Amino acid sequence: MIPEIDIRGSIAQKKTEGSLSFSYEADETLLDIPFVKFAGPVRAELTYRIFDDLTVEVRGTISFVLEGACSRCLADASEEIVYEAEGFFARGEDDGETYGYTNGKVLLEEFLRDSLMFALPSRLLCKACEQWENE
Ligand SMILES: [Zn+2]
């Protein structure tokens, strides 16, 4: 379940920062390594800060585990990935650099989707192949 940030409510309570901790099911279609899948939900640990101009900064980590077949030798492999995510939200429409938000509420879906795409590796290696590649 992905929470939303209630900017209007926060401002009303004179609260300009907060943290969010939640997990959600990843969109499997973002992952295109053959024979690899998400081993469980994606975990997000985020903090947010609301600035005077009502721009919102969101940062933190998303983490998840991939499991499946090694991209080199097809042996069982798994890897935990922790990614530092950061995004800015401004009132109105998306403008390419910042995400937009309307009705005083920041929705995190698109930001999380983009962060997950950046976080995903292009392949998964088992321990032996990882070692072999690093030699
Ligand atoms: Zn391997």
Side-chain angles (χ1 to χ4, degrees):
M1 177 67 187
I2 300 177
E4 53 188 27
I5 306 174
D6 180 359
I7 303 303
R8 227 174 253 164
S10 299
I11 296 291
Q13 296 169 38
K14 302 204 187 315
K15 195 177 148 219
T16 56
E17 11 183 80
S19 58
L20 300 167
S21 172
F22 57 95
S23 50
Y24 63 98
E25 290 303 320
D27 179 354
E28 296 275 348
T29 62
L30 295 178
L31 180 59
D32 65 349
I33 311 173
F35 313 116
V36 173
K37 60 183 177 59
F38 291 98
V42 178
R43 178 109 206 115
E45 303 279 346
L46 304 174
T47 58
Y48 61 89
R49 195 140 75 102
I50 306 167
F51 296 98
D52 289 342
D53 64 358
L54 298 182
T55 302
V56 182
E57 177 193 54
V58 178
R59 60 166 68 237
T61 58
I62 59 170
S63 55
F64 55 90
V65 175
L66 294 180
E67 66 178 14
C70 171
S71 303
R72 255 191 87 245
C73 73
L74 297 180
D76 285 345
S78 74
E79 186 181 358
E80 185 184 14
I81 292 166
V82 179
Y83 180 78
E84 300 280 335
E86 180 188 46
F88 286 89
F89 296 76
R91 286 198 295 171
E93 302 292 314
D94 282 18
D95 71 1
E97 279 187 31
T98 56
Y99 296 97
Y101 75 88
T102 52
N103 299 323
K105 288 199 182 353
V106 165
L107 305 179
L108 296 166
E109 276 79 358
E110 199 187 341
F111 163 69
L112 290 170
R113 189 186 165 85
D114 290 347
S115 299
L116 191 59
M117 285 208 298
F118 286 123
L120 282 170
S122 56
R123 58 184 191 164
L124 180 68
L125 292 180
C126 69
K127 293 276 175 287
C129 288
E130 215 171 278
Q131 218 163 29
W132 186 84
E133 293 237 334
N134 287 331
E135 265 167 22

